[in-house]
PDB file of all heavy atoms in Angstrom:
ATOM      1  N   SER A  19      23.262  42.920  21.988  1.00 93.00           N
ATOM      2  CA  SER A  19      22.183  42.661  22.845  1.00 93.00           C
ATOM      3  C   SER A  19      20.840  43.263  22.462  1.00 93.00           C
ATOM      4  O   SER A  19      19.751  42.794  22.470  1.00 93.00           O
ATOM      5  CB  SER A  19      22.550  43.110  24.260  1.00 93.00           C
ATOM      6  OG  SER A  19      23.672  42.490  24.848  1.00 93.00           O
ATOM      7  N   ILE A  22      19.504  41.337  19.607  1.00 95.00           N
ATOM      8  CA  ILE A  22      18.871  40.081  20.026  1.00 95.00           C
ATOM      9  C   ILE A  22      17.560  40.432  20.643  1.00 95.00           C
ATOM     10  O   ILE A  22      16.442  39.790  20.365  1.00 95.00           O
ATOM     11  CB  ILE A  22      19.735  39.311  21.165  1.00 95.00           C
ATOM     12  CG1 ILE A  22      21.103  38.873  20.468  1.00 95.00           C
ATOM     13  CG2 ILE A  22      19.033  38.191  21.674  1.00 95.00           C
ATOM     14  CD1 ILE A  22      22.081  38.313  21.319  1.00 95.00           C
ATOM     15  N   LEU A  26      13.963  39.106  19.235  1.00 93.00           N
ATOM     16  CA  LEU A  26      13.133  38.283  20.253  1.00 93.00           C
ATOM     17  C   LEU A  26      11.763  39.076  20.286  1.00 93.00           C
ATOM     18  O   LEU A  26      10.609  38.336  20.533  1.00 93.00           O
ATOM     19  CB  LEU A  26      13.736  38.200  21.493  1.00 93.00           C
ATOM     20  CG  LEU A  26      14.794  37.190  21.734  1.00 93.00           C
ATOM     21  CD1 LEU A  26      15.388  37.374  23.063  1.00 93.00           C
ATOM     22  CD2 LEU A  26      14.262  35.801  21.530  1.00 93.00           C
ATOM     23  N   LYS A  33      13.192  29.708  18.399  1.00 94.00           N
ATOM     24  CA  LYS A  33      14.350  28.823  19.077  1.00 94.00           C
ATOM     25  C   LYS A  33      15.594  29.802  19.043  1.00 94.00           C
ATOM     26  O   LYS A  33      15.787  30.593  18.182  1.00 94.00           O
ATOM     27  CB  LYS A  33      14.562  27.516  18.452  1.00 94.00           C
ATOM     28  CG  LYS A  33      13.427  26.652  18.634  1.00 94.00           C
ATOM     29  CD  LYS A  33      13.775  25.291  17.917  1.00 94.00           C
ATOM     30  CE  LYS A  33      12.618  24.350  18.042  1.00 94.00           C
ATOM     31  NZ  LYS A  33      12.732  23.012  17.407  1.00 94.00           N
ATOM     32  N   ALA A  34      16.638  29.418  19.893  1.00 94.00           N
ATOM     33  CA  ALA A  34      17.774  30.230  19.970  1.00 94.00           C
ATOM     34  C   ALA A  34      18.509  30.043  18.579  1.00 94.00           C
ATOM     35  O   ALA A  34      19.056  31.150  18.202  1.00 94.00           O
ATOM     36  CB  ALA A  34      18.719  29.613  21.086  1.00 94.00           C
ATOM     37  N   SER A  35      18.634  29.023  17.955  1.00 95.00           N
ATOM     38  CA  SER A  35      19.222  28.879  16.731  1.00 95.00           C
ATOM     39  C   SER A  35      18.584  29.702  15.615  1.00 95.00           C
ATOM     40  O   SER A  35      19.311  30.348  14.726  1.00 95.00           O
ATOM     41  CB  SER A  35      19.399  27.387  16.166  1.00 95.00           C
ATOM     42  OG  SER A  35      18.008  26.999  16.086  1.00 95.00           O
ATOM     43  N   VAL A  37      16.978  32.471  16.388  1.00 95.00           N
ATOM     44  CA  VAL A  37      17.284  33.928  16.596  1.00 95.00           C
ATOM     45  C   VAL A  37      18.676  34.316  16.177  1.00 95.00           C
ATOM     46  O   VAL A  37      18.967  35.292  15.645  1.00 95.00           O
ATOM     47  CB  VAL A  37      17.189  34.073  18.284  1.00 95.00           C
ATOM     48  CG1 VAL A  37      17.746  35.495  18.645  1.00 95.00           C
ATOM     49  CG2 VAL A  37      15.769  33.915  18.619  1.00 95.00           C
ATOM     50  N   VAL A  38      19.681  33.380  16.363  1.00 96.00           N
ATOM     51  CA  VAL A  38      21.054  33.512  15.904  1.00 96.00           C
ATOM     52  C   VAL A  38      21.073  33.747  14.401  1.00 96.00           C
ATOM     53  O   VAL A  38      21.699  34.703  13.920  1.00 96.00           O
ATOM     54  CB  VAL A  38      21.970  32.397  16.204  1.00 96.00           C
ATOM     55  CG1 VAL A  38      23.352  32.329  15.516  1.00 96.00           C
ATOM     56  CG2 VAL A  38      22.191  32.159  17.844  1.00 96.00           C
ATOM     57  N   ILE A  49      26.742  35.849  16.757  1.00 95.00           N
ATOM     58  CA  ILE A  49      26.502  35.637  18.215  1.00 95.00           C
ATOM     59  C   ILE A  49      26.367  34.038  18.400  1.00 95.00           C
ATOM     60  O   ILE A  49      26.206  33.284  17.597  1.00 95.00           O
ATOM     61  CB  ILE A  49      25.198  36.394  18.704  1.00 95.00           C
ATOM     62  CG1 ILE A  49      23.972  35.855  17.872  1.00 95.00           C
ATOM     63  CG2 ILE A  49      25.409  37.820  18.609  1.00 95.00           C
ATOM     64  CD1 ILE A  49      22.772  36.360  18.340  1.00 95.00           C
ATOM     65  N   SER A  50      26.417  33.740  19.751  1.00 95.00           N
ATOM     66  CA  SER A  50      26.168  32.285  20.082  1.00 95.00           C
ATOM     67  C   SER A  50      24.795  32.102  20.645  1.00 95.00           C
ATOM     68  O   SER A  50      24.167  32.935  21.054  1.00 95.00           O
ATOM     69  CB  SER A  50      27.308  31.916  21.112  1.00 95.00           C
ATOM     70  OG  SER A  50      27.025  32.554  22.394  1.00 95.00           O
ATOM     71  N   LYS A  51      24.433  30.820  20.806  1.00 95.00           N
ATOM     72  CA  LYS A  51      23.037  30.583  21.346  1.00 95.00           C
ATOM     73  C   LYS A  51      23.063  30.779  22.820  1.00 95.00           C
ATOM     74  O   LYS A  51      22.104  31.287  23.367  1.00 95.00           O
ATOM     75  CB  LYS A  51      22.973  28.959  21.241  1.00 95.00           C
ATOM     76  CG  LYS A  51      22.587  28.567  19.789  1.00 95.00           C
ATOM     77  CD  LYS A  51      22.345  26.954  19.831  1.00 95.00           C
ATOM     78  CE  LYS A  51      22.200  26.563  18.504  1.00 95.00           C
ATOM     79  NZ  LYS A  51      22.096  25.041  18.413  1.00 95.00           N
ATOM     80  N   ASN A  52      24.232  30.741  23.490  1.00 96.00           N
ATOM     81  CA  ASN A  52      24.417  31.093  24.943  1.00 96.00           C
ATOM     82  C   ASN A  52      24.018  32.542  25.185  1.00 96.00           C
ATOM     83  O   ASN A  52      23.453  32.864  26.200  1.00 96.00           O
ATOM     84  CB  ASN A  52      25.753  30.722  25.439  1.00 96.00           C
ATOM     85  CG  ASN A  52      25.882  29.273  25.546  1.00 96.00           C
ATOM     86  OD1 ASN A  52      25.025  28.435  25.547  1.00 96.00           O
ATOM     87  ND2 ASN A  52      27.273  28.836  25.637  1.00 96.00           N
ATOM     88  N   MET A  53      24.502  33.459  24.234  1.00 95.00           N
ATOM     89  CA  MET A  53      24.152  34.812  24.410  1.00 95.00           C
ATOM     90  C   MET A  53      22.659  35.081  24.313  1.00 95.00           C
ATOM     91  O   MET A  53      22.018  35.853  25.009  1.00 95.00           O
ATOM     92  CB  MET A  53      24.950  35.624  23.381  1.00 95.00           C
ATOM     93  CG  MET A  53      24.852  37.093  23.608  1.00 95.00           C
ATOM     94  SD  MET A  53      25.936  37.979  22.511  1.00 95.00           S
ATOM     95  CE  MET A  53      25.795  39.565  23.189  1.00 95.00           C
ATOM     96  N   VAL A  54      21.982  34.338  23.271  1.00 95.00           N
ATOM     97  CA  VAL A  54      20.408  34.459  23.169  1.00 95.00           C
ATOM     98  C   VAL A  54      19.737  34.136  24.532  1.00 95.00           C
ATOM     99  O   VAL A  54      18.891  34.706  24.953  1.00 95.00           O
ATOM    100  CB  VAL A  54      20.074  33.658  21.968  1.00 95.00           C
ATOM    101  CG1 VAL A  54      18.602  33.668  21.868  1.00 95.00           C
ATOM    102  CG2 VAL A  54      20.644  34.223  20.699  1.00 95.00           C
ATOM    103  N   TYR A  55      20.314  32.844  25.070  1.00 94.00           N
ATOM    104  CA  TYR A  55      19.720  32.317  26.318  1.00 94.00           C
ATOM    105  C   TYR A  55      19.832  33.403  27.475  1.00 94.00           C
ATOM    106  O   TYR A  55      18.958  33.618  28.245  1.00 94.00           O
ATOM    107  CB  TYR A  55      20.285  31.043  26.629  1.00 94.00           C
ATOM    108  CG  TYR A  55      19.891  29.908  25.763  1.00 94.00           C
ATOM    109  CD1 TYR A  55      20.850  29.076  25.200  1.00 94.00           C
ATOM    110  CD2 TYR A  55      18.484  29.691  25.456  1.00 94.00           C
ATOM    111  CE1 TYR A  55      20.345  28.046  24.297  1.00 94.00           C
ATOM    112  CE2 TYR A  55      18.079  28.655  24.664  1.00 94.00           C
ATOM    113  CZ  TYR A  55      19.036  27.825  24.070  1.00 94.00           C
ATOM    114  OH  TYR A  55      18.696  26.927  23.205  1.00 94.00           O
ATOM    115  N   MET A  56      21.072  33.899  27.508  1.00 93.00           N
ATOM    116  CA  MET A  56      21.386  35.042  28.612  1.00 93.00           C
ATOM    117  C   MET A  56      20.388  36.138  28.453  1.00 93.00           C
ATOM    118  O   MET A  56      19.903  36.732  29.435  1.00 93.00           O
ATOM    119  CB  MET A  56      22.884  35.404  28.463  1.00 93.00           C
ATOM    120  CG  MET A  56      23.266  36.310  29.540  1.00 93.00           C
ATOM    121  SD  MET A  56      24.861  37.009  29.296  1.00 93.00           S
ATOM    122  CE  MET A  56      24.655  38.158  27.881  1.00 93.00           C
ATOM    123  N   ILE A  57      20.275  36.733  27.158  1.00 92.00           N
ATOM    124  CA  ILE A  57      19.501  37.823  26.967  1.00 92.00           C
ATOM    125  C   ILE A  57      18.010  37.429  27.272  1.00 92.00           C
ATOM    126  O   ILE A  57      17.248  38.232  27.926  1.00 92.00           O
ATOM    127  CB  ILE A  57      19.553  38.392  25.518  1.00 92.00           C
ATOM    128  CG1 ILE A  57      21.006  38.762  25.178  1.00 92.00           C
ATOM    129  CG2 ILE A  57      18.499  39.471  25.422  1.00 92.00           C
ATOM    130  CD1 ILE A  57      21.411  39.957  26.029  1.00 92.00           C
ATOM    131  N   LYS A  58      17.555  36.205  27.059  1.00 89.00           N
ATOM    132  CA  LYS A  58      16.194  35.767  27.268  1.00 89.00           C
ATOM    133  C   LYS A  58      15.992  35.796  28.744  1.00 89.00           C
ATOM    134  O   LYS A  58      14.865  36.274  29.324  1.00 89.00           O
ATOM    135  CB  LYS A  58      15.852  34.515  26.715  1.00 89.00           C
ATOM    136  CG  LYS A  58      15.395  34.493  25.230  1.00 89.00           C
ATOM    137  CD  LYS A  58      15.139  33.086  24.843  1.00 89.00           C
ATOM    138  CE  LYS A  58      13.873  32.966  24.019  1.00 89.00           C
ATOM    139  NZ  LYS A  58      13.655  31.647  23.555  1.00 89.00           N
ATOM    140  N   THR A  59      16.980  35.231  29.484  1.00 87.00           N
ATOM    141  CA  THR A  59      16.915  35.147  30.996  1.00 87.00           C
ATOM    142  C   THR A  59      16.733  36.555  31.611  1.00 87.00           C
ATOM    143  O   THR A  59      16.014  36.796  32.564  1.00 87.00           O
ATOM    144  CB  THR A  59      18.042  34.244  31.430  1.00 87.00           C
ATOM    145  OG1 THR A  59      18.106  33.078  30.872  1.00 87.00           O
ATOM    146  CG2 THR A  59      17.937  34.151  32.930  1.00 87.00           C
ATOM    147  N   LYS A  60      17.665  37.351  31.142  1.00 87.00           N
ATOM    148  CA  LYS A  60      17.729  38.780  31.705  1.00 87.00           C
ATOM    149  C   LYS A  60      16.535  39.499  31.521  1.00 87.00           C
ATOM    150  O   LYS A  60      16.011  40.376  32.314  1.00 87.00           O
ATOM    151  CB  LYS A  60      18.957  39.521  31.212  1.00 87.00           C
ATOM    152  CG  LYS A  60      20.349  39.017  31.653  1.00 87.00           C
ATOM    153  CD  LYS A  60      20.693  39.429  33.014  1.00 87.00           C
ATOM    154  CE  LYS A  60      22.027  39.117  33.389  1.00 87.00           C
ATOM    155  NZ  LYS A  60      22.385  39.539  34.581  1.00 87.00           N
TER     156      LYS A  60
END
Side-chain angles (χ1 to χ4, degrees):
S19 298
I22 294 170
L26 284 173
K33 295 180 180 179
S35 58
V37 173
V38 169
I49 58 170
S50 67
K51 291 181 189 177
N52 288 340
M53 189 168 184
V54 174
Y55 290 129
M56 182 188 69
I57 299 297
K58 275 182 140 178
T59 302
K60 292 281 187 177

